[in-house]
Amino acid sequence: MSRIEPAQRRALLAALITLCIFVAALWVLDDSLRHLHLRDIWTPLRTLTAAEIAAAIGWTAASYFALTLYDRLSLEIAGKPLPYPRVATISFIACALAHSLGLSSVS
């Protein structure tokens, strides 16, 4: 039987930690939303017009686009330019996580 290399051990540990955080998030979400029914969420959403939904999606996309440009410009000013697609991907994931986890004021 072969030994687990340190890099493999770190990867396994990272996967385990990620899984634990995901399970904890599901538990908190379940506990937080237990008192809500689907109709409590669906009823107000059905009052929105298609134009309102499209506007919300458009403004959200524009917001994330502006944040990716902000990060791209920051890297350019810092002298560490990266291709926009790479910056956009990383920026989108980081912003989405930060806003979802309630850390938007920190990031």
Side-chain angles (χ1 to χ4, degrees):
M1 186 161 96
S2 64
R3 290 180 44 89
I4 297 176
E5 298 293 324
Q8 290 174 322
R9 186 175 293 136
R10 283 191 300 275
L12 285 172
L13 182 61
L16 181 63
I17 290 171
T18 301
L19 181 62
C20 289
I21 291 171
F22 180 72
V23 169
L26 286 177
W27 178 75
V28 168
L29 191 61
D30 177 61
D31 190 56
S32 298
L33 301 178
R34 186 170 299 229
H35 68 285
L36 290 177
H37 297 283
L38 189 56
R39 71 177 174 274
D40 296 332
I41 299 167
W42 190 246
T43 301
L45 287 178
R46 288 177 39 183
T47 65
L48 297 174
T49 66
E52 290 171 326
I53 294 171
I57 292 170
W59 286 113
T60 300
S63 173
Y64 277 110
F65 179 68
L67 288 170
T68 63
L69 289 179
Y70 174 79
D71 288 341
R72 173 67 171 92
L73 180 60
S74 298
L75 288 169
E76 188 75 36
I77 291 171
K80 304 287 184 182
L82 289 173
Y84 177 76
R86 184 168 181 195
V87 173
T89 302
I90 295 167
S91 177
F92 175 79
I93 292 169
C95 288
L97 283 173
H99 288 275
S100 297
L101 297 173
L103 301 173
S104 58
S105 61
V106 177
S107 63

